[in-house]
């Protein structure tokens, strides 16, 4: 589960980090009121209006059909109103959203933190994630903040630093000092950076995050270190420990079909191919997708019905697959290890009966426990289902169905 920038920044603040302060608004009027409050509270003349969507690249992204960037500076209330009007209700297209973009329903009105002062402002990149190779958490950080870190890594890899933290030992002071030093800081900014890194680590650990990224992390002209942006990805498997974080979920940002599938305990990921697939077990599902590709089709989805697939769940899965207009054939590939094939077959028959006419060919491969009973069930039902025993036969059937 991902959080919005404003939610992630609040969590950072709670854990001791300084952030660019802001107020969320859902209408242009609220945005103007927010700008006024920020002016009074933080004495900031300018504000920045930032679209809240679950994707980065907003600063360079554009609202569809306009020239409005997803993040924009405003120096008076009229400008705040104008920008918020352009953003709210618009569809923001960025490098990360893909061409369909994401609808903006909230903006964060934030204080301008790039004010002139005694020294230069400087943007850094800071993130933390799990390094599966070493079984440790790793900070990835760079002096080259504010831009695409992938590009920095490609063209100037020497500017991307890493610092591994053993979870059984925790973050040590010498590590935060080393990082602040590698970022070229001294004096007060150095001290502030070590505090900021500790707050970042605390946020990551206490939320069971899978990733926290701050880009840019800013050194202000008066040597404060603060988060201008923050992306926080939470580990779904740990969410049961965090009801407060689960409450931050924004269903508008999720694919409604994936949400519905998750509620039915189906592991479903929408893809853009033409062969729908229903499989039990993630590994077999991956192999099935490869097989579809090899037979000249491309998978319309990943779908793992789980080890305890029952008739109800199979029907739900069919309905979800059929909602995709690109689907030209459906391949059901079940290996009955724990699940009984006849139960799945019954699900297919029931689904057929209750959905009515299924407009695309269905290829079924059922192997394992009660496979024979399953085949009988399907044959007796009179359904137009092509059944296959071997994986290779199933692939051939898919090819024929697409021809
Ligand atoms: P992203 O494009 O989705 O990563 O959104 P960010 O929150 O990182 O903002 C994009 C860019 O807007 C930043 O890299 C900054 O250069 C700029 N920006 C953000 N806040 C301010 C601000 O307070 N003042 C000024 N002048 N620029 C800002
Ligand atoms: Mn950013």
């Amino acid at each position: 589960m991902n959080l919005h920038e404003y939610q992630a920044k609040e969590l950072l603040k709670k854990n001791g980090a300084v952030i660019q302060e802001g107020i969320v608004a859902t209408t242009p009027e609220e945005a103007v009121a927010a700008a006024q409050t920020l002016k009074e509270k933080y004495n900031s003349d300018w504000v920045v209006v930032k679209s809240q969507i679950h994707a980065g690249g907003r600063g360079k992204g554009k609202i569809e059909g306009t020239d409005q960037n997803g993040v924009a500076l405003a120096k008076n209330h009229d400008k705040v109103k104008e920008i918020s009007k352009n953003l709210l209700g618009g569809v923001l297209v960025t490098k990360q959203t893909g061409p369909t973009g994401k609808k903006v329903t909230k903006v964060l009105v934030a204080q301008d933190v790039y004010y002139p002062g005694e020294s230069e402002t400087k943007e850094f990149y800071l993130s933390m994630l799990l390094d599966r190779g070493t079984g440790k958490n790793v900070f990835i950080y760079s002096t080259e903040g504010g831009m695409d870190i992938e590009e920095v890594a490609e063209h100037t890899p020497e500017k991307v630093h890493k610092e591994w933290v053993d979870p059984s030992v925790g973050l040590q002071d010498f590590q935060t000092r080393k990082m602040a030093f590698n970022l070229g800081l001294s004096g007060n900014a150095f001290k502030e950076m070590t505090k900021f890194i500790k707050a970042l680590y605390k946020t990551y650990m206490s939320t069971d995050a899978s990733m926290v990224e701050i880009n840019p992390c800013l050194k202000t002209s008066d040597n404060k270190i603060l988060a201008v942006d923050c992306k926080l990805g939470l580990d779904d498997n740990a969410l049961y420990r965090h009801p407060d974080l689960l409450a931050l979920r924004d269903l508008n940002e999720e694919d409604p079909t994936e949400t519905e599938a998750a509620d039915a305990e189906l592991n479903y990921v929408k893809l853009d191919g033409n062969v729908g697939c229903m499989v039990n077990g993630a590994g077999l599902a991956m192999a099935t997708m490869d097989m579809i590709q090899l037979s000249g089709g491309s998978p319309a989805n990943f779908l793992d019905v789980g080890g305890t697939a029952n008739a109800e769940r199979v029907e739900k899965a069919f309905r979800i697959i059929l909602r995709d207009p690109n689907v030209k054939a459906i391949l059901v590939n079940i290996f009955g290890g724990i699940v009984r094939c006849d139960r799945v077959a019954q699900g297919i028959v029931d689904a057929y009966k209750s959905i009515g006419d299924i407009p695309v060919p269905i290829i079924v491969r059922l192997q394992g426990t009660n496979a024979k009973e399953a085949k009988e069930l399907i044959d007796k039902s009179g359904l137009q289902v092509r059944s296959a025993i071997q994986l290779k036969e199933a692939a051939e059937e898919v090819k024929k169905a697409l021809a």
Side-chain angles (χ1 to χ4, degrees), residues 20 48 50 57-59 73 111-114 123 215-216 228-229:
Q20 174 195 43
V48 54
K50 313 178 80 178
R58 297 163 300 165
L73 266 174
Q111 57 171 160
D112 173 29
V113 283
Y114 289 65
E123 292 180 320
N215 191 22
V228 170
D229 190 8

Side-chain angles (χ1 to χ4, degrees), residues 9-218:
K9 275 156 102 178
E10 277 311 311
L11 288 168
L12 279 175
K13 186 176 172 179
K14 232 194 244 166
N15 285 287
V18 183
I19 60 166
Q20 174 195 43
E21 295 286 346
I23 299 169
V24 175
T26 55
T27 65
E29 293 69 34
E30 278 177 26
V32 170
Q36 182 59 30
T37 307
L38 290 171
K39 193 179 163 80
E40 287 161 13
K41 222 166 151 182
Y42 303 104
N43 197 24
S44 71
D45 272 341
W46 294 41
V47 291
V48 54
V49 186
K50 313 178 80 178
S51 311
Q52 297 299 290
I53 56 167
H54 283 188
R58 297 163 300 165
K60 291 201 184 94
K62 292 247 161 79
I63 293 287
E64 206 170 52
T66 73
D67 220 26
Q68 175 69 56
N69 289 113
V71 172
L73 266 174
K75 59 174 161 183
N76 59 49
H77 287 356
D78 285 345
K79 204 76 191 151
V80 172
K81 199 163 188 171
E82 183 194 321
I83 295 168
S84 314
K85 254 190 193 149
N86 291 345
L87 297 178
L88 289 163
V91 173
L92 182 57
V93 180
T94 80
K95 230 170 138 179
Q96 291 184 16
T97 60
T100 47
K102 290 213 155 193
K103 190 159 177 195
V104 182
T105 58
K106 287 186 209 108
V107 293
L108 178 65
V109 182
Q111 57 171 160
D112 173 29
V113 283
Y114 289 65
Y115 45 80
E118 68 202 47
S119 68
E120 293 282 295
T121 57
K122 174 97 190 79
E123 292 180 320
F124 300 105
Y125 174 93
L126 271 176
S127 69
M128 173 158 251
L129 43 86
L130 172 66
D131 176 5
R132 291 173 194 278
T134 59
K136 291 176 182 169
N137 295 307
V138 62
F139 281 108
I140 300 177
Y141 63 105
S142 174
T143 50
E144 309 305 296
M147 47 186 119
D148 245 343
I149 195 67
E150 287 83 3
E151 261 169 48
V152 180
E154 192 178 327
H155 301 295
T156 48
E158 70 283 0
K159 288 187 173 161
V160 179
H161 304 278
K162 290 184 178 176
E163 185 67 27
W164 282 268
V165 181
D166 189 326
S168 58
V169 178
L171 180 62
Q172 302 294 298
D173 282 344
F174 80 88
Q175 295 181 296
T176 58
R177 288 197 295 267
K178 178 173 152 197
M179 289 170 69
F181 178 80
N182 283 339
L183 291 172
L185 295 170
S186 60
N188 198 48
F190 182 99
K191 242 193 283 171
E192 292 297 313
M193 181 56 90
T194 59
K195 274 195 229 161
F196 188 90
I197 293 166
K198 282 181 200 168
L200 175 59
Y201 182 71
K202 224 171 125 190
T203 308
Y204 174 87
M205 295 302 284
S206 66
T207 58
D208 284 316
S210 49
M211 191 273 307
V212 189
E213 183 187 63
I214 303 186
N215 191 22
C217 167
L218 189 75

Side-chain angles (χ1 to χ4, degrees), residues 269-291:
V269 181
K270 165 114 184 54
L271 301 168
D272 49 18
N274 54 4
V275 181
C277 39
M278 173 153 57
V279 190
N280 68 325
L284 187 59
M286 304 280 268
T288 305
M289 287 161 66
D290 282 349
M291 194 191 81

Side-chain angles (χ1 to χ4, degrees), residues 264-387:
E265 291 176 60
L266 296 166
N267 255 313
Y268 172 87
V269 181
K270 165 114 184 54
L271 301 168
D272 49 18
N274 54 4
V275 181
C277 39
M278 173 153 57
V279 190
N280 68 325
L284 187 59
M286 304 280 268
T288 305
M289 287 161 66
D290 282 349
M291 194 191 81
I292 289 171
Q293 200 83 39
L294 284 173
S295 65
S298 68
N301 64 276
F302 169 96
L303 193 147
D304 171 10
V305 288
T308 54
N310 54 27
E312 198 184 318
R313 213 181 290 173
V314 168
E315 182 182 332
K316 185 88 192 169
F318 262 117
R319 287 188 183 276
I320 286 173
I321 292 173
L322 284 168
R323 211 174 291 160
D324 179 351
N326 294 331
V327 168
K328 299 283 176 283
I330 298 175
L331 173 59
V332 180
N333 189 8
I334 302 286
F335 181 77
I338 299 168
V339 64
R340 282 168 26 206
C341 290
D342 56 328
R343 265 171 74 180
V344 176
Q346 189 60 51
I348 296 170
V349 173
D350 289 353
Y352 242 107
K353 278 194 195 132
S354 85
I355 298 173
D357 213 15
I358 294 185
V360 297
I362 300 184
I363 298 113
V364 179
R365 174 186 179 253
L366 288 163
Q367 267 285 26
T369 311
N370 291 2
K372 206 172 119 240
E373 288 82 346
K375 194 168 181 328
E376 275 169 21
L377 246 167
I378 288 180
D379 289 347
K380 236 183 21 213
S381 72
L383 300 180
Q384 292 304 307
V385 171
R386 308 178 193 192
S387 61

